[in-house]
Amino acid sequence: MVDLRQLRTFKSVAELGSLSKASDRLRIAQPALSRHIKLLEHELRIELFTRNGRGMVLTPAGHLLFDRTAGLVRQIEQVRDDIQSVGGAPSGRVVLGLVPTVSCVLSTRFARRVIEELPQVSLCIVESYGGHLVEWLHRGEMDLALMYGPSVDLHLSVDTIGRDHIVAVGPSGSGLAEQKEVSIEWLSAQKLVLPSHSHGLRILIEKALSRKNLPIQVVVEADSFRVLTSFVEDGLGYTLLPHSAVRADAAAGRLELAPIARPGIARELIMARPADRQPSIATAAISDFIRIEIERLRSEGLWDIQMTQAGHPDAALR
């Protein structure tokens, strides 16, 4: 009969591709983990991994088992964590997803706050783009994600935190910082470096230009936030990014920024979690702390975000 230990072992080996790495994560001797996998394969009467010199690779049957059980194992672990949290401090593991432009502003401060104030919570921050975060939320492998909307048709439980303002970004010496603001028409006349067509920011920018029937000049594309800023720094073109993500680079003199003339361009910042299960006590605590930390960054002038009433930290604690 398949048991939880076998499924936990299977999940860790599948994610890490190695018995030795899974042994380090689970703190269980490697021979015991190997025995769990063999018992699971015997029970299911099929091989779940292909063993080779580079590690362990899932077979088609292994992929199917992983897709069907990874979220289930996560839910069972959270039930255990919640029982241990009753009457005490929140405890357990929380996997938090962040898009890169949010991660660069929030991650370090937030991790320090969790270590200091939620010492029994094990926080795992995963940085990736919105499409990947949505997939992992649907599969139950991630508990919470902070990313950009729109939130329509995500089929997730979503709270809107606020609207994040987008600014024009240029290289040092471009004179961009001397401009009070730049118009959409000005942006249309510039050579731009932008994410690819599937990226939400690219879609937002193209819509802003198309509303005025303006062309767009994209000289090179990159789906990496840091690659985009390096392109701009080297003078390949201008880009558009959330102010918070490039504020430090501008302060260091590597980039220049200018706001976009009204109505401007803004992105909906959302907090999402799986819709088919209740958040654990630890996940709920992390969710509240995120709102509080974003409000602190806003009040300190480090994040130019217009928070919604629902996203205000006082609302989160009511």
Side-chain angles (χ1 to χ4, degrees):
M1 181 177 178
V2 175
D3 63 28
L4 179 60
R5 287 184 308 167
Q6 294 170 2
L7 290 176
R8 287 184 68 225
T9 297
F10 167 75
K11 178 174 178 288
S12 292
V13 174
E15 289 174 341
L16 300 172
S18 162
L19 274 172
S20 60
K21 292 178 181 178
S23 176
D24 291 341
R25 174 190 282 186
L26 298 174
R27 298 182 182 179
I28 299 174
Q30 190 170 326
L33 297 187
S34 181
R35 187 165 58 253
H36 291 170
I37 295 297
K38 288 178 181 177
L39 288 171
L40 184 58
E41 290 180 322
H42 177 74
E43 179 69 27
L44 297 174
R45 300 178 184 178
I46 195 166
E47 284 195 348
L48 300 171
F49 293 97
T50 299
R51 284 82 167 170
N52 56 42
R54 293 174 295 177
M56 298 178 69
V57 181
L58 286 172
T59 64
H63 278 291
L64 177 62
L65 182 64
F66 183 82
D67 290 341
R68 297 289 178 86
T69 63
L72 178 62
V73 172
R74 189 82 189 94
Q75 290 183 57
I76 294 172
E77 290 173 342
Q78 286 188 330
V79 170
R80 178 201 60 200
D81 294 338
D82 280 351
I83 291 173
Q84 294 174 349
S85 298
V86 172
S91 66
R93 188 167 186 260
V94 177
V95 181
L96 170 65
L98 300 174
V99 290
T101 50
V102 170
S103 179
C104 71
V105 183
L106 185 66
S107 288
T108 302
R109 281 181 53 140
F110 186 68
R112 181 180 293 112
R113 181 176 178 84
V114 171
I115 291 169
E116 292 172 353
E117 301 189 34
L118 295 172
Q120 296 182 52
V121 172
S122 173
L123 177 65
C124 174
I125 293 178
V126 178
E127 181 181 304
S128 191
Y129 286 97
H132 295 146
L133 300 183
V134 169
E135 179 183 347
W136 293 328
L137 286 168
H138 279 305
R139 285 166 50 174
E141 297 174 41
M142 182 170 285
D143 303 301
L144 197 65
L146 198 60
M147 55 191 177
Y148 290 108
S151 57
V152 179
D153 297 329
L154 285 181
H155 304 294
L156 296 166
S157 179
V158 173
D159 293 323
T160 298
I161 301 299
R163 296 188 65 78
D164 207 355
H165 298 284
I166 305 299
V167 296
V169 184
S172 177
S174 63
L176 186 60
E178 299 173 6
Q179 301 189 50
K180 184 178 180 181
E181 60 184 22
V182 296
S183 66
I184 295 293
E185 288 78 7
W186 182 89
L187 289 172
S188 175
Q190 309 307 312
K191 294 179 179 179
L192 300 177
V193 294
L194 293 176
S196 61
H197 287 281
S198 61
H199 197 284
L201 180 60
R202 173 69 173 270
I203 295 170
L204 194 69
I205 294 165
E206 289 186 342
K207 283 183 177 179
L209 290 167
S210 67
R211 279 194 290 266
K212 293 195 172 186
N213 295 316
L214 294 170
I216 186 170
Q217 300 184 60
V218 180
V219 294
V220 64
E221 298 176 339
D223 283 342
S224 165
F225 159 61
R226 284 303 174 193
V227 171
L228 278 180
T229 55
S230 67
F231 283 168
V232 175
E233 193 173 344
D234 285 346
L236 298 184
Y238 292 85
T239 194
L240 294 99
L241 288 166
H243 177 267
S244 55
V246 286
R247 181 195 57 81
D249 289 318
R254 293 187 291 271
L255 298 172
E256 294 189 15
L257 314 178
I260 299 170
R262 295 182 67 178
I265 302 175
R267 301 190 73 182
E268 178 190 21
L269 182 67
I270 62 174
M271 191 185 304
R273 58 180 177 81
D276 57 354
R277 58 185 170 93
Q278 289 296 313
S280 67
I281 292 173
T283 299
I286 290 294
S287 177
D288 289 345
F289 272 45
I290 287 173
R291 290 181 174 91
I292 293 169
E293 195 60 39
I294 291 175
E295 173 60 26
R296 288 184 174 184
L297 286 162
R298 189 198 65 78
S299 64
E300 293 171 22
L302 302 178
W303 197 332
D304 182 21
I305 184 170
Q306 181 182 355
M307 297 187 74
T308 65
Q309 185 60 35
H312 195 281
D314 290 341
L317 297 176
R318 279 200 288 266

